[in-house]
């Protein structure tokens, strides 16, 4: 097992009717800015509960944070923080809102042009405003980690950053808040969480026995409850398990002491930045061909994945690997998530631009061994057509 330094200070408050706990979780005397996305937070009643819980606090609101949050929108939130001297941020929404709030927290106290935070992947962040979150969409795990992904629409750039200063102090997870979500968002959440786990698990053996078993259990749980989450939208236990699995998928625990990949995410980001495809759907497009193209370097873990997650034990090694990859694609498709570029009207003529974007963003040595070159990325995209 590799050396690791695991740190996660986020407090999780989980369960029904927990939004009222904001009254005690948000520091007394804080000047709060509540950040949210579109109309769903209002229609679902979540914002009304948040307002009631903050009735004794000084708070203002900033709405309109889009899926794949944009730098341009978030800088308007930074301006409001400065203008109104806000000193605590509360994200109400899914991963995009929480990601955006992390960026606002860092940018509001940053000396320099805030996009430099993204260019440096957060290594230049030395302080940030404190923040908390109320999660409404299980998917990204942003509610219990320090990372975020931000898009600059003017340059088609979608980049990640991490900083120990941008962990939420707390996150409230009430599974009831997922009951009214559209099926598309639930399906996206399942795919996103599934791929987060794969990126930390399906690399090469590193002696992380507990991490492997934990990851495999989470994957099996998503396979079990993913279809049920769509078919039974008001089943509290199903939605509670989905919400918690999505959090565990990216809170750092299963990734401690083992190698990480993330090449699927980096290529997927370019698809979102250029074509505005849902983040999770880009992952469903890229992951199966990524596993096929890199099957030799991932052989040992692909065989483990085939056996332990999908129960595939018969046939040659190559046949078992093929079957595991095909089962992965079929699982995504069973959630009505399409897995080919052509499903999104993208053809071979687009590949040069996508590879150029990867090069422009210094995504030239990706993966757990940094051996996913631009040529390998091209082969993955070609296999995704």
């Amino acid at each position: 097992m590799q050396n690791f330094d695991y740190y996660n200070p986020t407090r999780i408050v989980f369960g029904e009717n927990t939004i009222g706990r904001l009254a005690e979780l948000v520091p007394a005397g804080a000047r709060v800015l509540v950040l949210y996305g579109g109309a769903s937070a209002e229609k679902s009643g979540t914002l009304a509960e948040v307002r009631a819980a903050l009735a004794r606090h000084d708070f203002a609101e900033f709405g309109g944070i889009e899926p794949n949050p944009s730098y341009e929108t978030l800088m308007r939130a930074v301006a409001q923080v400065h203008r109104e001297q806000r000193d605590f941020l509360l994200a109400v929404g899914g991963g995009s809102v929480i990601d955006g709030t992390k960026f606002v927290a860092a940018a509001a106290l940053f000396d320099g042009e805030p996009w430099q935070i993204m260019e440096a992947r957060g290594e230049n962040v030395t302080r940030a405003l404190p923040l908390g979150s109320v999660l409404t969409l299980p998917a990204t795990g942003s509610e219990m980690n320090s990372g975020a992904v931000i898009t600059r629409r003017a340059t088609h750039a979608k980049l990640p950053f991490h900083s120990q200063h941008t962990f939420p102090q707390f996150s409230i997870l009430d599974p009831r808040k997922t009951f009214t979500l559209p099926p598309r968002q639930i399906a996206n959440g399942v795919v996103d969480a599934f791929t987060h786990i794969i990126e930390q698990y399906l690399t090469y053996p590193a002696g992380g026995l507990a991490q492997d078993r934990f990851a495999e259990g989470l994957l099996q749980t998503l396979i079990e409850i993913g279809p049920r989450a769509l078919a039974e939208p008001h089943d509290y236990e199903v939605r509670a398990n989905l919400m918690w699995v999505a959090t565990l998928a990216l809170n750092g625990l299963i990734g401690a002491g083992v190698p990480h990949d993330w090449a699927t995410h980096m290529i997927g980001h370019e698809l979102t930045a250029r074509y505005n495809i849902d983040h999770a759907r880009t992952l469903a497009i890229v992951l199966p061909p990524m596993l096929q193209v890199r099957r030799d370097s991932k052989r040992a873990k692909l065989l483990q994945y085939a056996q332990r997650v999908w129960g595939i034990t018969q046939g040659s090694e190559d046949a078992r690997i093929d079957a595991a990859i095909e089962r992965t694609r079929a699982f995504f498709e069973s959630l009505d998530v399409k897995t080919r570029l052509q499903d999104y009207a993208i053809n071979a003529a687009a590949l040069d631009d996508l590879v150029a974007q990867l090069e422009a963003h210094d995504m030239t040595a990706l993966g757990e061994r940094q051996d996913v070159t631009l040529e390998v990325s091209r082969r993955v995209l070609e296999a995704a057509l």
Side-chain angles (χ1 to χ4, degrees):
M1 194 189 308
Q2 299 173 348
N3 292 1
F4 65 89
D5 183 343
Y6 179 66
Y7 170 74
N8 194 319
T10 301
R11 177 178 182 176
I12 297 295
V13 179
F14 189 101
E16 296 181 81
N17 304 314
T18 47
I19 291 179
R21 297 277 303 275
L22 284 171
E24 63 186 81
L25 292 168
V26 175
R31 294 177 56 79
V32 183
L33 183 64
V34 178
L35 300 97
Y36 60 94
S40 62
E42 190 79 73
K43 290 179 181 177
S44 68
T46 303
L47 273 177
E49 290 187 55
V50 169
R51 290 168 184 145
L54 294 178
R56 296 188 177 182
H57 286 79
D58 177 349
F59 73 93
E61 298 178 9
F62 180 90
I65 297 177
E66 46 291 77
N68 306 302
S70 75
Y71 174 77
E72 293 83 355
T73 296
L74 298 174
M75 287 306 296
R76 292 194 286 109
V78 172
Q80 183 172 343
V81 168
H82 290 162
R83 185 171 62 250
E84 299 177 1
Q85 297 183 317
R86 299 290 161 185
D87 56 18
F88 192 94
L89 306 181
L90 180 66
V92 179
S96 291
V97 174
I98 302 172
D99 278 16
T101 301
K102 290 175 183 176
F103 177 78
V104 173
L109 301 182
F110 185 71
D111 295 324
E113 211 292 315
W115 187 250
Q116 294 171 359
I117 294 171
M118 306 309 302
E119 293 174 333
R121 307 297 191 265
E123 292 183 6
N124 52 1
V125 174
T126 59
R127 55 183 180 152
L129 291 175
L131 69 135
S133 82
V134 175
L135 181 68
T136 62
L137 172 60
T140 71
S142 190
E143 65 276 5
M144 199 179 179
N145 64 45
S146 63
V149 181
I150 306 300
T151 299
R152 191 164 193 173
R153 303 203 182 280
T155 57
H156 299 294
K158 183 175 180 180
L159 301 176
F161 86 95
H162 295 81
S163 170
Q164 65 175 340
H165 302 288
T166 53
F167 278 101
Q169 290 189 347
F170 64 82
S171 289
I172 292 175
L173 281 62
D174 182 345
R176 295 180 310 123
K177 296 305 169 188
T178 73
F179 287 177
T180 59
L181 290 171
R184 182 186 185 95
Q185 290 186 327
I186 291 296
N188 283 353
V190 173
V191 172
D192 201 4
F194 193 96
T195 311
H196 286 160
I197 300 165
I198 290 289
E199 297 273 36
Q200 300 164 86
Y201 163 75
L202 221 168
T203 56
Y204 56 83
L209 303 183
Q211 295 92 318
D212 278 4
R213 290 294 189 183
F214 198 178
E216 290 155 1
L218 295 175
L219 291 169
Q220 289 176 321
T221 303
L222 288 172
I223 291 166
E224 176 184 345
I225 68 174
R228 291 181 61 195
L230 293 173
E232 306 163 25
H234 292 90
D235 186 315
Y236 180 85
E237 293 303 327
V238 169
R239 291 299 176 91
N241 278 282
L242 175 57
M243 184 169 262
W244 187 225
V245 169
T247 299
L248 291 170
L250 201 59
N251 72 349
L253 191 59
I254 65 171
V258 297
H260 295 197
D261 187 346
W262 301 112
T264 293
H265 271 71
M266 296 305 102
I267 296 175
H269 288 168
E270 301 302 339
L271 289 169
T272 295
R274 183 159 289 275
Y275 297 104
N276 202 31
I277 303 171
D278 297 0
H279 169 63
R281 288 167 192 257
T282 70
L283 303 179
I285 293 167
V286 175
L287 180 61
M290 179 70 73
L291 298 179
Q292 278 287 8
V293 169
R294 299 171 63 202
R295 62 188 292 145
D296 289 340
S297 64
K298 292 180 176 288
R299 177 170 291 267
K301 289 301 282 286
L302 275 167
L303 289 168
Q304 181 177 318
Y305 171 64
Q307 178 182 352
R308 292 188 182 179
V309 175
W310 294 109
I312 300 168
T313 58
Q314 301 298 312
S316 67
E317 289 190 352
D318 282 339
R320 280 177 274 155
I321 289 171
D322 285 338
I325 295 171
E326 188 49 43
R327 291 283 288 275
T328 304
R329 184 189 298 278
F331 175 59
F332 295 159
E333 293 275 356
S334 76
L335 303 172
D336 198 26
V337 176
K338 299 302 180 184
T339 60
R340 298 284 187 183
L341 286 172
Q342 61 189 2
D343 295 320
Y344 302 87
I346 300 172
N347 58 33
L351 300 192
D352 285 346
D353 284 344
L354 289 169
V355 173
Q357 284 290 111
L358 286 166
E359 185 173 20
H361 299 143
D362 199 28
M363 303 296 176
T364 58
L366 303 175
E368 61 269 27
R369 292 188 172 95
Q370 292 79 56
D371 58 354
V372 181
T373 62
L374 292 176
E375 178 55 33
V376 174
S377 293
R378 181 182 290 276
R379 287 168 54 203
V380 169
L381 288 166
E382 289 171 345
L385 289 169

